[in-house]
Amino acid sequence: MRSPALLETAGLTKHFGELYAVDAVDLAIREGETTAVIGPNGAGKTTLFNLVTRRMRADRGRVRFRGTDITTATPHAVARMGLVRTFQVSSVFPGLSVQQNLLTAVLARTGRSGVSTQSLERERESLERVQELLVRLDLRDDANVACDELAHGTRRRVEVGMSLALEPRLLLLDEPTAGMGTSERQATVELLSELARRGGTTLVLTEHDVDLVMNFARRIVVMHQGGIIADGTPEEIVEDIEVRRAYLGDSR
Ligand SMILES: Nc1ncnc2c1ncn2[C@@H]1O[C@H](COP(=O)(O)OP(=O)(O)O)[C@@H](O)[C@H]1O
Ligand SMILES: [Mg+2]
């Protein structure tokens, strides 16, 4: 029997005037089902994430997370339930070091931002968690560097680290490799893949380069003009003629 869906949308719709950015999307994501949402610019990927995390109000449709209807929940409540979107660049405190930023996220997760009330034991645990994140994200060399001095790709890794520090059940990553060089993109995807394998957090990411997610995703969802035009295993997707025409631009 298949496990129940972690996230489920039904008829989810958002339009901007005449333009249907997300058009009646039915999507179910199961626990552990690492998924890549691909599609050209303007396909509706970011809007879909915004609707699901309640940063944007849907015009129609429902969203359920862990069996609870979250269609009208606040973004904060959704995050508390374990549905987290990548931190935007603005969420990284630019003047603070990588280490300090990660600590902020770890403390936010444990709800102990008042350092003075923290026991030494708790403080030690938080610092250990930060060290673990620095290792896992290969950020040790930059631990004491202020975030506004980091290369773009490295800062993206800090954002991913801050999101992971919240230990979400479902993490939505909107183009986590944007602005990175080719080798760094591959390394980041491998890192994410490793994190997904360890379990605990189910990953859904958007990406415009299908090659990059072929070995990573268990499932690929292809969006085009607000709708889902293909959904399957990476192998199924490459076989999909419609995708080749609409997205890959392959004339075979
Ligand atoms: N706030 C907005 N106001 C008007 N149009 C928007 C807004 N956000 C997105 N759109 C439009 O909706 C469509 C989908 O955008 P988006 O979700 O950002 O696509 P993707 O992330 O796949 O590139 C695009 O045509 C975009 O221009
Ligand atoms: Mg986008």
Side-chain angles (χ1 to χ4, degrees), residues 10 32 49 70 73 84 96 100 135 139 146 166-167 178 197 214 220 226 230:
F49 277 16
I70 58 162
V84 168
L96 295 186
Q100 287 165 330
V135 172
L139 287 167
L166 298 173
E167 296 175 21
R197 253 202 311 276
M214 281 304 293
I220 294 181

Side-chain angles (χ1 to χ4, degrees), residues 16-17 19-22 39-48 50 56 174-175 206 223 226:
F16 300 106
L19 178 94
Y20 279 76
V22 170
N41 260 337
K45 307 180 295 292
T46 297
T47 305
L48 178 63
N50 283 335
M56 231 178 226
D174 197 5
E175 301 211 21
T206 66
M223 283 189 78

